Amino acid sequence: MSTVIKTVTPFIDKECLLKALDKLDVKYTINGNQIVSQNQKFIYRNGHYTLDMYSHNYQSVNWNDYKNKNSFLEVVEKEYNQFYAKKLAELERLRQEALAEKERIRLEKEIKRIEEERKAFVEKQKQAIIEKAKAKGYSVKVKKVKNKIKLILVRHTY
Amino acid sequence: MAEQTITITIDENGKINAETIGIKGEMCLDELQELLENEGDLLSVKKTDEYFQQQTVKIKNKIKNKKQ
């Protein structure tokens, strides 16, 4: 004899489960680790919310057209899975954004670094030329013209 | 008393443009070479009239000497 069993997707995410219940227009209250709705409740057990069978009263429950516990669970599961997938997608989007932000910061630092490297190089060039010019007897005037440095070296010979 | 002027322009990327005034002949190139040594690879050299002045004087003197 063989048996085939199928379980509902474990409702491990409370937020998604509540959204699923909201969408199905199931009224509930939250009481500690329980989501209580009319005559049934979801209890947080072993890392997921499970429909407590002992609280279930088939006679008095108003399922909003759901015939039994299993069909109710099926529709909750369907909604839950949709919200869960959306949540995962949103988290992935946020993760990508965070990575992009991290990359943006890294690139900004790199741009700043090469800018500073360039400026330091130009300054070093300027100083080296000024030193050599002075050693050769030139008087040196330094002017800044737009983004350029202009060195005017003047020497008098007889 | 002669005035020798060298104008050196360094752009924001470190590219250098240099121009001499009042330095005749090859001396102006020597002077620039000394000043700009190690400051960048030479891209082009444009010789102005002033560069040739000294050369012209030398050639004229040679011709003059031969005639004598």
mmCIF file of all heavy atoms in Angstrom, chain A residues 130-154:
data_model
loop_
_atom_site.group_PDB
_atom_site.id
_atom_site.type_symbol
_atom_site.label_atom_id
_atom_site.label_comp_id
_atom_site.label_asym_id
_atom_site.label_seq_id
_atom_site.Cartn_x
_atom_site.Cartn_y
_atom_site.Cartn_z
ATOM 1 N N ILE A 130 59.246 74.983 -11.940
ATOM 2 C CA ILE A 130 59.608 76.224 -11.231
ATOM 3 C C ILE A 130 61.005 76.089 -10.604
ATOM 4 O O ILE A 130 61.851 76.981 -10.731
ATOM 5 C CB ILE A 130 58.545 76.573 -10.156
ATOM 6 C CG1 ILE A 130 57.232 77.016 -10.828
ATOM 7 C CG2 ILE A 130 59.056 77.655 -9.205
ATOM 8 C CD1 ILE A 130 56.062 77.200 -9.889
ATOM 9 N N GLU A 131 61.230 74.958 -9.961
ATOM 10 C CA GLU A 131 62.538 74.741 -9.316
ATOM 11 C C GLU A 131 63.669 74.778 -10.328
ATOM 12 O O GLU A 131 64.693 75.433 -10.124
ATOM 13 C CB GLU A 131 62.554 73.393 -8.592
ATOM 14 C CG GLU A 131 62.040 73.478 -7.166
ATOM 15 C CD GLU A 131 62.009 72.122 -6.486
ATOM 16 O OE1 GLU A 131 62.944 71.333 -6.707
ATOM 17 O OE2 GLU A 131 61.036 71.859 -5.752
ATOM 18 N N LYS A 132 63.463 74.074 -11.459
ATOM 19 C CA LYS A 132 64.503 74.025 -12.495
ATOM 20 C C LYS A 132 64.723 75.418 -13.094
ATOM 21 O O LYS A 132 65.862 75.829 -13.323
ATOM 22 C CB LYS A 132 64.125 73.032 -13.592
ATOM 23 C CG LYS A 132 64.401 71.584 -13.220
ATOM 24 C CD LYS A 132 64.123 70.646 -14.379
ATOM 25 C CE LYS A 132 62.865 69.862 -14.163
ATOM 26 N NZ LYS A 132 62.539 68.921 -15.204
ATOM 27 N N ALA A 133 63.621 76.127 -13.301
ATOM 28 C CA ALA A 133 63.718 77.466 -13.898
ATOM 29 C C ALA A 133 64.472 78.406 -12.966
ATOM 30 O O ALA A 133 65.341 79.169 -13.408
ATOM 31 C CB ALA A 133 62.318 77.998 -14.176
ATOM 32 N N LYS A 134 64.160 78.354 -11.690
ATOM 33 C CA LYS A 134 64.839 79.230 -10.727
ATOM 34 C C LYS A 134 66.329 78.902 -10.661
ATOM 35 O O LYS A 134 67.179 79.794 -10.581
ATOM 36 C CB LYS A 134 64.195 79.095 -9.348
ATOM 37 C CG LYS A 134 62.881 79.887 -9.250
ATOM 38 C CD LYS A 134 62.287 79.815 -7.877
ATOM 39 C CE LYS A 134 61.022 80.675 -7.808
ATOM 40 N NZ LYS A 134 60.316 80.486 -6.531
ATOM 41 N N ALA A 135 66.620 77.611 -10.708
ATOM 42 C CA ALA A 135 68.033 77.187 -10.683
ATOM 43 C C ALA A 135 68.772 77.690 -11.918
ATOM 44 O O ALA A 135 69.982 77.897 -11.883
ATOM 45 C CB ALA A 135 68.095 75.670 -10.604
ATOM 46 N N LYS A 136 68.057 77.908 -13.000
ATOM 47 C CA LYS A 136 68.684 78.397 -14.232
ATOM 48 C C LYS A 136 68.646 79.925 -14.334
ATOM 49 O O LYS A 136 68.971 80.490 -15.357
ATOM 50 C CB LYS A 136 67.980 77.786 -15.455
ATOM 51 C CG LYS A 136 68.275 76.301 -15.628
ATOM 52 C CD LYS A 136 67.430 75.657 -16.707
ATOM 53 C CE LYS A 136 67.873 75.990 -18.096
ATOM 54 N NZ LYS A 136 69.249 75.599 -18.438
ATOM 55 N N GLY A 137 68.199 80.552 -13.271
ATOM 56 C CA GLY A 137 68.243 82.008 -13.197
ATOM 57 C C GLY A 137 67.003 82.716 -13.719
ATOM 58 O O GLY A 137 67.031 83.929 -13.955
ATOM 59 N N TYR A 138 65.927 82.019 -13.912
ATOM 60 C CA TYR A 138 64.694 82.657 -14.372
ATOM 61 C C TYR A 138 63.883 83.167 -13.182
ATOM 62 O O TYR A 138 63.881 82.555 -12.117
ATOM 63 C CB TYR A 138 63.816 81.656 -15.137
ATOM 64 C CG TYR A 138 64.322 81.271 -16.502
ATOM 65 C CD1 TYR A 138 65.105 80.132 -16.673
ATOM 66 C CD2 TYR A 138 64.009 82.036 -17.622
ATOM 67 C CE1 TYR A 138 65.562 79.770 -17.927
ATOM 68 C CE2 TYR A 138 64.458 81.675 -18.882
ATOM 69 C CZ TYR A 138 65.233 80.544 -19.025
ATOM 70 O OH TYR A 138 65.692 80.191 -20.277
ATOM 71 N N SER A 139 63.248 84.282 -13.398
ATOM 72 C CA SER A 139 62.232 84.687 -12.426
ATOM 73 C C SER A 139 60.925 84.047 -12.895
ATOM 74 O O SER A 139 60.692 83.924 -14.097
ATOM 75 C CB SER A 139 62.108 86.205 -12.356
ATOM 76 O OG SER A 139 61.579 86.691 -13.560
ATOM 77 N N VAL A 140 60.117 83.642 -11.958
ATOM 78 C CA VAL A 140 58.929 82.865 -12.332
ATOM 79 C C VAL A 140 57.643 83.555 -11.881
ATOM 80 O O VAL A 140 57.522 83.955 -10.723
ATOM 81 C CB VAL A 140 58.993 81.448 -11.713
ATOM 82 C CG1 VAL A 140 57.765 80.626 -12.122
ATOM 83 C CG2 VAL A 140 60.271 80.723 -12.115
ATOM 84 N N LYS A 141 56.737 83.689 -12.824
ATOM 85 C CA LYS A 141 55.405 84.196 -12.483
ATOM 86 C C LYS A 141 54.413 83.074 -12.755
ATOM 87 O O LYS A 141 54.479 82.433 -13.802
ATOM 88 C CB LYS A 141 55.035 85.407 -13.344
ATOM 89 C CG LYS A 141 55.469 86.722 -12.775
ATOM 90 C CD LYS A 141 54.914 87.843 -13.642
ATOM 91 C CE LYS A 141 55.565 89.162 -13.236
ATOM 92 N NZ LYS A 141 55.181 90.238 -14.155
ATOM 93 N N VAL A 142 53.522 82.861 -11.811
ATOM 94 C CA VAL A 142 52.525 81.792 -11.987
ATOM 95 C C VAL A 142 51.145 82.432 -12.135
ATOM 96 O O VAL A 142 50.751 83.269 -11.329
ATOM 97 C CB VAL A 142 52.521 80.830 -10.775
ATOM 98 C CG1 VAL A 142 51.519 79.694 -10.991
ATOM 99 C CG2 VAL A 142 53.922 80.262 -10.527
ATOM 100 N N LYS A 143 50.463 82.035 -13.195
ATOM 101 C CA LYS A 143 49.103 82.552 -13.403
ATOM 102 C C LYS A 143 48.163 81.383 -13.607
ATOM 103 O O LYS A 143 48.557 80.346 -14.145
ATOM 104 C CB LYS A 143 49.048 83.453 -14.648
ATOM 105 C CG LYS A 143 49.599 84.830 -14.438
ATOM 106 C CD LYS A 143 49.390 85.630 -15.708
ATOM 107 C CE LYS A 143 49.985 87.027 -15.572
ATOM 108 N NZ LYS A 143 49.856 87.778 -16.830
ATOM 109 N N LYS A 144 46.948 81.590 -13.199
ATOM 110 C CA LYS A 144 45.927 80.555 -13.429
ATOM 111 C C LYS A 144 44.985 81.103 -14.506
ATOM 112 O O LYS A 144 44.349 82.152 -14.323
ATOM 113 C CB LYS A 144 45.185 80.293 -12.120
ATOM 114 C CG LYS A 144 44.182 79.200 -12.209
ATOM 115 C CD LYS A 144 44.704 77.901 -11.612
ATOM 116 C CE LYS A 144 43.610 76.835 -11.699
ATOM 117 N NZ LYS A 144 44.093 75.519 -11.398
ATOM 118 N N VAL A 145 44.966 80.461 -15.649
ATOM 119 C CA VAL A 145 44.088 80.904 -16.734
ATOM 120 C C VAL A 145 43.077 79.789 -17.009
ATOM 121 O O VAL A 145 43.424 78.727 -17.506
ATOM 122 C CB VAL A 145 44.903 81.210 -18.014
ATOM 123 C CG1 VAL A 145 43.999 81.753 -19.111
ATOM 124 C CG2 VAL A 145 46.028 82.180 -17.709
ATOM 125 N N LYS A 146 41.836 80.044 -16.642
ATOM 126 C CA LYS A 146 40.774 79.022 -16.709
ATOM 127 C C LYS A 146 41.250 77.789 -15.933
ATOM 128 O O LYS A 146 41.528 77.887 -14.768
ATOM 129 C CB LYS A 146 40.395 78.710 -18.152
ATOM 130 C CG LYS A 146 39.689 79.877 -18.829
ATOM 131 C CD LYS A 146 39.310 79.533 -20.250
ATOM 132 C CE LYS A 146 38.683 80.762 -20.913
ATOM 133 N NZ LYS A 146 38.428 80.546 -22.339
ATOM 134 N N ASN A 147 41.349 76.669 -16.585
ATOM 135 C CA ASN A 147 41.804 75.469 -15.873
ATOM 136 C C ASN A 147 43.291 75.195 -16.085
ATOM 137 O O ASN A 147 43.776 74.139 -15.712
ATOM 138 C CB ASN A 147 41.000 74.253 -16.336
ATOM 139 C CG ASN A 147 39.563 74.327 -15.872
ATOM 140 O OD1 ASN A 147 39.276 74.864 -14.796
ATOM 141 N ND2 ASN A 147 38.659 73.820 -16.682
ATOM 142 N N LYS A 148 43.955 76.159 -16.689
ATOM 143 C CA LYS A 148 45.356 75.940 -17.007
ATOM 144 C C LYS A 148 46.271 76.754 -16.098
ATOM 145 O O LYS A 148 45.878 77.816 -15.611
ATOM 146 C CB LYS A 148 45.622 76.321 -18.468
ATOM 147 C CG LYS A 148 44.913 75.412 -19.449
ATOM 148 C CD LYS A 148 45.152 75.859 -20.879
ATOM 149 C CE LYS A 148 44.393 74.962 -21.850
ATOM 150 N NZ LYS A 148 44.509 75.417 -23.223
ATOM 151 N N ILE A 149 47.477 76.239 -15.935
ATOM 152 C CA ILE A 149 48.483 76.972 -15.165
ATOM 153 C C ILE A 149 49.473 77.549 -16.167
ATOM 154 O O ILE A 149 49.986 76.830 -17.032
ATOM 155 C CB ILE A 149 49.220 76.023 -14.186
ATOM 156 C CG1 ILE A 149 48.246 75.457 -13.154
ATOM 157 C CG2 ILE A 149 50.382 76.749 -13.505
ATOM 158 C CD1 ILE A 149 48.791 74.262 -12.405
ATOM 159 N N LYS A 150 49.721 78.820 -16.028
ATOM 160 C CA LYS A 150 50.651 79.467 -16.943
ATOM 161 C C LYS A 150 51.884 79.891 -16.148
ATOM 162 O O LYS A 150 51.754 80.614 -15.147
ATOM 163 C CB LYS A 150 49.974 80.686 -17.568
ATOM 164 C CG LYS A 150 50.611 81.145 -18.839
ATOM 165 C CD LYS A 150 49.712 82.162 -19.520
ATOM 166 C CE LYS A 150 50.150 82.410 -20.943
ATOM 167 N NZ LYS A 150 49.248 83.288 -21.638
ATOM 168 N N LEU A 151 53.036 79.423 -16.578
ATOM 169 C CA LEU A 151 54.293 79.810 -15.935
ATOM 170 C C LEU A 151 55.032 80.729 -16.891
ATOM 171 O O LEU A 151 55.290 80.356 -18.042
ATOM 172 C CB LEU A 151 55.150 78.574 -15.640
ATOM 173 C CG LEU A 151 54.525 77.466 -14.794
ATOM 174 C CD1 LEU A 151 55.482 76.292 -14.674
ATOM 175 C CD2 LEU A 151 54.166 77.980 -13.403
ATOM 176 N N ILE A 152 55.341 81.902 -16.425
ATOM 177 C CA ILE A 152 56.087 82.843 -17.275
ATOM 178 C C ILE A 152 57.484 82.975 -16.674
ATOM 179 O O ILE A 152 57.650 83.481 -15.561
ATOM 180 C CB ILE A 152 55.367 84.205 -17.372
ATOM 181 C CG1 ILE A 152 53.950 83.966 -17.930
ATOM 182 C CG2 ILE A 152 56.133 85.175 -18.248
ATOM 183 C CD1 ILE A 152 52.980 85.060 -17.618
ATOM 184 N N LEU A 153 58.431 82.485 -17.424
ATOM 185 C CA LEU A 153 59.814 82.484 -16.950
ATOM 186 C C LEU A 153 60.570 83.585 -17.693
ATOM 187 O O LEU A 153 60.555 83.626 -18.928
ATOM 188 C CB LEU A 153 60.484 81.139 -17.224
ATOM 189 C CG LEU A 153 59.654 79.863 -16.987
ATOM 190 C CD1 LEU A 153 60.484 78.628 -17.327
ATOM 191 C CD2 LEU A 153 59.172 79.777 -15.553
ATOM 192 N N VAL A 154 61.214 84.450 -16.950
ATOM 193 C CA VAL A 154 61.943 85.560 -17.586
ATOM 194 C C VAL A 154 63.376 85.590 -17.054
ATOM 195 O O VAL A 154 63.610 85.464 -15.852
ATOM 196 C CB VAL A 154 61.235 86.916 -17.312
ATOM 197 C CG1 VAL A 154 61.993 88.068 -17.981
ATOM 198 C CG2 VAL A 154 59.795 86.882 -17.809
#
